[in-house]
Amino acid sequence: MYHLTCRDLPGCVIEENSFEKILAASPQIFRTCMELHYRRQKRVIPMPSELQEEETPLYVPLRIQAKILLWNHIASRGLKITEVAQMLGLSRDQVRRLVDLSESRANLEAIENALVALNAHFTMRTDGDPL
């Protein structure tokens, strides 16, 4: 039996019969963990720590990264979804889709537009950039 944990998401544990199964299941399980234990509890989602020796990095799709950044911007300012919807001229459901980590209908441009409207932005870079 293989066990996978994440220092940045305490309480999120995956157990599978093979390492390959853990790697295949981990993106969805970690998204669900972040959604249930952080976003739905109105808590800021922790940013990833520096990798330590013997740790395996987990790929997080860009849209999920953007949703996390938008959510953290909202949560760290103590804003409610209803308030954000009013600020953006959107419905509550539209704003929920922008920050719901299990929802795939929000596109990256809509998330970026919401951040800009809230006086924020994110910057992309690739691994290995000298920045």
Side-chain angles (χ1 to χ4, degrees):
M1 185 64 82
Y2 290 83
H3 302 274
L4 178 69
T5 61
C6 178
R7 282 183 292 117
D8 299 318
L9 300 172
C12 192
V13 179
I14 304 170
E15 295 181 353
E16 283 290 350
N17 295 335
S18 73
F19 187 69
E20 291 77 22
K21 285 184 179 180
I22 280 183
L23 289 180
S26 62
Q28 180 59 43
I29 291 172
F30 283 125
R31 270 199 314 267
T32 301
C33 183
M34 286 185 280
E35 179 69 23
L36 294 175
H37 298 290
Y38 291 92
R39 199 192 68 76
R40 291 194 185 167
Q41 301 298 318
K42 299 178 179 25
R43 297 169 48 205
V44 170
I45 298 168
M47 292 289 95
S49 303
E50 289 288 323
L51 279 178
Q52 294 181 359
E53 229 177 280
E54 312 241 346
E55 288 183 329
T56 301
L58 174 67
Y59 171 74
V60 179
L62 184 59
R63 180 179 46 207
I64 298 301
Q65 292 178 46
K67 285 180 173 228
I68 290 169
L69 293 174
L70 176 58
W71 170 252
N72 284 352
H73 185 77
I74 291 168
S76 67
R77 281 152 186 79
L79 297 171
K80 296 179 181 175
I81 294 294
T82 305
E83 295 170 322
V84 174
Q86 289 173 347
M87 294 166 75
L88 300 178
L90 300 172
S91 71
R92 282 181 57 186
D93 286 342
Q94 288 173 307
V95 174
R96 274 198 198 115
R97 280 194 294 273
L98 292 176
V99 296
D100 187 335
L101 302 176
S102 62
E103 175 65 56
S104 61
R105 290 186 286 173
N107 67 40
L108 194 55
E109 186 176 5
I111 298 166
E112 180 183 24
N113 289 341
L115 278 165
V116 169
L118 296 171
N119 296 316
H121 69 279
F122 65 91
T123 304
M124 295 186 331
R125 67 184 192 102
T126 60
D127 284 345
D129 276 356
L131 301 177

